[in-house]
Amino acid sequence: ELTRVTYFGSAGLNAVLSCFERGRDQGVVVRVVADNPEVMRPIEVTKLDKVLRTYPTVAAATAADAGPQ
């Protein structure tokens, strides 16, 4: 849940990607909750939006479990 993050640089990207990879390796779906440009822009510029599941709210991320994936 990154909606309050005001700076998201390479260390943040690496931490989220590492979390995603560990989750994937263990069969866990990792979702990123963020709608702020400080977080979304670096994710989009690095094309990680093609890999990471991003949602604007925690409710939207948890609701994603309700349907088929």
Side-chain angles (χ1 to χ4, degrees), residues 1-8 36 38-39:
E1 204 282 316
L2 303 170
T3 57
R4 290 185 167 180
V5 171
T6 58
Y7 177 77
F8 195 68
N36 47 334
E38 294 84 2
V39 174

Side-chain angles (χ1 to χ4, degrees), residues 21-58:
E21 290 171 341
R22 283 193 316 264
R24 181 197 58 211
D25 294 346
Q26 295 177 16
V28 176
V29 176
V30 174
R31 294 177 174 92
V32 176
V33 176
D35 65 350
N36 47 334
E38 294 84 2
V39 174
M40 292 306 299
R41 182 75 176 134
I43 289 174
E44 292 165 352
V45 166
T46 57
K47 306 269 190 249
L48 285 176
D49 58 330
K50 307 295 184 217
V51 176
L52 301 172
R53 296 179 185 195
T54 59
Y55 298 86
T57 65
V58 171

